[in-house]
Amino acid sequence: MRKFLCIAAIAGMFAVSACNTVEGVGEDVSSAGDAVSGAADGAK
């Protein structure tokens, strides 16, 4: 569990540092939604 939290914290830092603007956050959320949607379609 501790290893997972450490990895999640590091991933969170990278995600926050990548989103410098509101537009960047919107693009990141959109691309994450597209990835989830594609995975869901692939699982059908």
Side-chain angles (χ1 to χ4, degrees), residues 3-44:
K3 184 176 180 180
F4 172 75
L5 291 176
C6 184
I7 292 171
I10 292 171
M13 286 189 300
F14 282 120
V16 170
S17 68
C19 302
N20 291 328
T21 63
V22 174
E23 182 180 358
V25 172
E27 290 175 4
D28 291 343
V29 170
S30 177
S31 91
D34 291 343
V36 170
S37 179
D41 288 340
K44 286 183 181 178

